[in-house]
Amino acid sequence: MDIQILLFIQENIRHYILTPFFTLITNEYFLYILLGIVLIYMFKKNEDTKRLAKETIIAFLICTVLFIVLKLIFQRPRPFDAFNELIPLVDKPSDYSFPSGHTASAFICAFMVYDGLPKKYSILVFILAILVAFSRLYVGVHYPTDILAGIILAYIIYKFMKKTMSTK
């Protein structure tokens, strides 16, 4: 079913007007710059948001280590390596596919800042996280289950961080 979804996206949703947008959104440097802007905004606020910004950075680092370890454990090939009919729209990543690190990174940030930012901003961060996740499918470098695993990984880390933060 994973490949059927990817082929559906490739054949029915990809469009020359959308492609520049999704190739920008899927770029990790774009994600890190945006995260930096959000965290700088948070550091300029009160002590609670400064603490939350620091905790978000810690959660992001934990998430990064875990998705790298999981990629090494599962060693799932990228979909374009497994299915020749899938054409990636970006440079082919050389690491493994499962879970999606971009998705996990975007969602851990969204989960972490949700309680600390005004709702209009935290909803925008969630929308961006969803767009990042979809972009990984759109450009053909992840399976849908990689995306789902990235979201679940981020949520587990978020719950862990919330529990850890509440005991301080």
Side-chain angles (χ1 to χ4, degrees), residues 23-36 128 132:
T23 54
L24 172 67
I25 293 292
T26 207
N27 184 310
E28 69 253 21
Y29 299 112
F30 175 79
L31 178 65
Y32 298 143
I33 289 168
L34 199 61
L35 170 62
L128 178 65
V132 167

Side-chain angles (χ1 to χ4, degrees), residues 6 71 78-79 97 99-101 136-137 140-144 146-147:
L6 290 173
K71 282 178 184 282
R78 296 282 179 166
S97 189
S100 170
R136 304 306 284 166
L137 301 173
V141 296
H142 278 292
Y143 296 98
D146 298 341
I147 301 304

Side-chain angles (χ1 to χ4, degrees), residues 89-118:
L89 298 179
V90 294
D91 292 338
K92 294 178 177 181
S94 58
D95 63 343
Y96 297 110
S97 189
F98 183 89
S100 170
H102 285 73
T103 301
S105 298
F107 271 89
I108 191 59
C109 295
F111 287 136
M112 290 299 294
V113 302
Y114 182 76
D115 296 327
L117 290 178

Side-chain angles (χ1 to χ4, degrees), residues 54-64 108-109 112 157-158 161:
K54 291 174 187 174
E55 290 167 351
T56 300
I57 292 168
I58 292 167
F60 182 84
L61 293 173
I62 291 169
C63 188
T64 300
I108 191 59
C109 295
M112 290 299 294
I157 294 167
Y158 163 72
M161 291 297 291

Side-chain angles (χ1 to χ4, degrees), residues 27-92:
N27 184 310
E28 69 253 21
Y29 299 112
F30 175 79
L31 178 65
Y32 298 143
I33 289 168
L34 199 61
L35 170 62
I37 291 168
V38 168
L39 293 175
I40 288 168
Y41 168 81
M42 291 172 70
F43 270 112
K44 291 183 177 185
K45 296 294 181 182
N46 59 40
E47 288 303 313
D48 288 338
T49 55
K50 283 182 184 180
R51 181 182 49 78
L52 181 59
K54 291 174 187 174
E55 290 167 351
T56 300
I57 292 168
I58 292 167
F60 182 84
L61 293 173
I62 291 169
C63 188
T64 300
V65 169
L66 285 177
F67 76 68
I68 290 170
V69 168
L70 289 171
K71 282 178 184 282
L72 293 172
I73 290 171
F74 289 100
Q75 297 186 6
R76 185 180 197 185
R78 296 282 179 166
F80 53 79
D81 287 330
F83 300 93
N84 291 336
E85 59 269 22
L86 185 65
I87 302 164
L89 298 179
V90 294
D91 292 338
K92 294 178 177 181

